[in-house]
């Protein structure tokens, strides 16, 4: 079972690597239903100039289109960095019941680090959270990206 989850997180890491290649912060996301990836996304804010163009939002939109529904109730989301407040809101609104993330986000993480919106009982939906899957690989990619960015500036 763990192998399957690692395979999907590897797919999210591939999305993150593609973002890095084009100069975006390397965050990637995939959404899975019935062991099939139905949504993919990577950060695209710098290119689109849209504040909402995060990996999770792009993957959710693709999955919504694939299922022709705003509800992603039987899906699992895999993302390389802990979701921010906006993305946790989108996850909850899409009714995604389970989230795996690789690395914690100490500046914006809302799935257990700064707060935990995904498990807030005051909200009408919650999600099961799995932390740290392929964390080292995600952190290595992020650290490398920011080290290169510092060299350029």
């Amino acid at each position: 079972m763990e192998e399957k989850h690692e395979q999907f997180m590897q797919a999210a890491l591939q999305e993150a690597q593609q973002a890095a290649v084009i100069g975006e912060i390397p965050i990637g996301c995939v959404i899975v239903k019935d062991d099939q990836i139905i949504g993919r996304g990577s950060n695209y804010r710098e290119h689109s100039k849209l504040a909402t163009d995060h990996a999770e939002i792009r993957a959710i939109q693709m999955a919504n289109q694939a299922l022709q529904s705003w509800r992603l109730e039987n899906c699992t989301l895999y993302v390389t960095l802990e979701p921010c407040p906006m993305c946790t809101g989108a996850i909850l609104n899409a009714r995604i019941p389970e989230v795996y993330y690789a690395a914690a986000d100490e500046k914006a993480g809302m799935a257990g680090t700064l707060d935990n919106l995904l498990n807030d009982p005051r909200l009408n939906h919650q999600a099961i959270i799995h932390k740290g899957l392929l964390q080292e690989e995600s952190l290595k990619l992020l650290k490398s990206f920011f080290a290169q960015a510092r060299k350029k500036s």
Side-chain angles (χ1 to χ4, degrees), residues 63-75:
N64 291 146
Q65 290 174 350
L67 297 181
Q68 290 294 293
S69 175
W70 63 269
R71 291 178 181 267
L72 302 176
E73 293 171 313
N74 296 307
C75 297

Side-chain angles (χ1 to χ4, degrees), residues 33-140:
K33 181 176 175 152
D34 300 328
D35 293 332
Q36 298 293 313
I37 295 173
I38 61 165
R40 294 177 177 274
S42 60
N43 265 16
Y44 205 69
R45 287 190 313 184
E46 297 301 324
H47 283 74
S48 69
K49 308 299 184 218
L50 297 172
T52 57
D53 234 347
H54 287 201
E56 297 95 323
I57 301 297
R58 292 168 62 88
I60 288 169
Q61 289 171 339
M62 182 183 277
N64 291 146
Q65 290 174 350
L67 297 181
Q68 290 294 293
S69 175
W70 63 269
R71 291 178 181 267
L72 302 176
E73 293 171 313
N74 296 307
C75 297
T76 303
L77 183 142
Y78 297 82
V79 64
T80 59
L81 186 66
E82 181 180 1
C84 72
M86 176 183 67
C87 292
T88 55
I91 290 164
L92 293 171
N93 280 312
R95 308 294 195 263
I96 297 170
E98 195 163 14
V99 173
Y100 284 79
Y101 71 82
D105 185 346
E106 295 178 11
K107 294 182 179 181
M110 288 290 150
T113 300
L114 296 181
D115 204 341
N116 191 343
L117 293 179
L118 293 179
N119 289 156
D120 191 325
R122 296 170 297 174
L123 300 174
N124 68 339
H125 180 70
Q126 288 83 41
I128 298 166
I129 303 167
H130 306 274
K131 306 174 185 182
L133 181 63
L134 301 185
Q135 176 179 315
E136 291 305 314
E137 291 87 334
S138 179
L139 287 173
K140 182 179 175 184

